[in-house]
Amino acid sequence: MIEIGVIGCGYWGPNHIRNFNLLPNSRVLRCCDKDEQRLERMRGLYPTTAITKNADDLFSDERLDAIVIATPVHTHYDLARKALLSGKDVLVEKPMTHSIETSLLLIQLAREMKRILMVGHTFEYNSAVNKAKEMLDSGELGEPLYISSTRVNLGLFQPDINVCWDLAPHDISIITYLLGALPVTVNSQGKSHYKTGIEDVANMTLSYNNGVIAFIHTSWLDPKKIRQTTIVGSKKMLLYDDLETQEKIRVYDKGVNAPPYYDTYGEFHFSYRYGDIYIPRVEEYEPLRRQSEHFVHCLEERLSPKSDGYSGLRVVSVLEAASQSLKRGGQAVPVHWPEEDRDSQTPILAAGVQS
Ligand SMILES: NC(=O)c1ccc[n+]([C@@H]2O[C@H](COP(=O)([O-])OP(=O)(O)OC[C@H]3O[C@@H](n4cnc5c(N)ncnc54)[C@H](O)[C@@H]3O)[C@@H](O)[C@H]2O)c1
């Protein structure tokens, strides 16, 4: 039985508690939050899980194998560091930390302590995203030309991070996972309408070595909640709508055939293909359940998780580049990547590597 402690019982933490308590080989022994009301709610829901306001109680609890951190991003580094130092395996929510520097420190510490470090990139455990990856990898969509992602809604405004750090980690992790590569540069433009210095709407452009381009649009200031990713391939196009309950993925057999070379006259000879649209079956499974199972499996078998520390670092590297680009009015900023992991850029780390 894997014994778990969860820090942060706000919006997301209780989902971790529910899932780890439902798995046959894990349970949440203790949970922690600074907010007493939130703890009382957990006590009501999970009477066998002990509550505390002090995270140190979890670090010093010899019975706990692992700590799950579901607190705001500015607390991730400190809490994850203490958890690793106390000998616990760690699952930290996205984005892994607030900077490349602190992400690297956590990776090094996990390695020194021989502990597992996993990041909550939940969409990498999502059946629809995995279906899209399968179709991309099998060549069914052809060569990827571009990917476009939209994650917008009204609120929730965050006090300390801009909309990129709040909403885009999911899109960056999805796109990085799909393409198996990091972008070379990032351009980002955005605007703060309500709190100076904290952009509430932003666009990001990720440019890749092989000419692929990806766009991410995030906003807290939009009348409609949208969660869509479009993959345009040279053969087919795929639309993934996370808000659809049944038909999350649609594949469009649509495309353009260009003449071998064209001039002004040739342009009129493009032919457009309007083929079938089909809806592949996607397994209905809670992505967080799959992620929790993977974490427990990695702990039992001492395996490196699919969304390991490096996966977290990749997302943070893109976010840092985006923040710099925002400050420079949208200029292209190179994505910083530490030399030591250069080999694992393409293809990105295989899951289930023995640690
Ligand atoms: N993977 C996903 O799909 C997903 C979805 C939502 C949120 N998240 C991530 O989960 C994290 C938490 O987000 P949220 O929306 O639940 O935030 P939230 O503000 O609703 O909850 C955070 C909780 O942490 C508590 N907290 C803060 N510092 C603490 C400390 N030092 N010790 C104990 N408790 C502390 C706060 O009191 C609060 O109850 C963020 O990193 C967010 O990005 C991930």
Side-chain angles (χ1 to χ4, degrees), residues 11 30 41 43 69 93 108 115 146 154-155 161 203 219-220 234 243 245 291 304 322 338:
Y11 161 62
R30 301 184 87 156
R41 195 171 153 254
R43 196 208 296 272
I69 298 164
E93 262 312 328
Q108 279 157 10
R115 291 296 100 197
Y146 80 87
L154 189 61
I161 48 170
N203 271 319
S219 175
W220 294 322
S234 56
L243 299 185
T245 46
Q291 180 187 292
S304 171

Side-chain angles (χ1 to χ4, degrees), residues 28 111 123 167 317:
V28 180
R111 196 183 290 150
F123 281 86
L167 297 181
S317 300

Side-chain angles (χ1 to χ4, degrees), residues 49-83:
T49 300
I51 55 171
T52 175
K53 281 176 83 175
N54 186 354
D56 290 337
D57 293 341
L58 271 59
F59 305 140
S60 60
D61 190 329
E62 296 279 327
R63 297 168 305 161
L64 297 182
D65 300 298
I67 304 286
V68 174
I69 298 164
T71 52
V73 60
H74 66 269
T75 64
H76 288 184
Y77 171 65
D78 193 41
L79 292 171
R81 186 180 150 273
K82 286 180 179 156

Side-chain angles (χ1 to χ4, degrees), residues 7-8 10-12 33-34 38 70-72 76 93-94 120 122 170:
I7 309 178
Y11 161 62
W12 196 240
D33 201 291
K34 284 177 163 176
R38 289 182 165 175
T71 52
H76 288 184
E93 262 312 328
K94 57 82 199 166
T122 317
H170 284 318

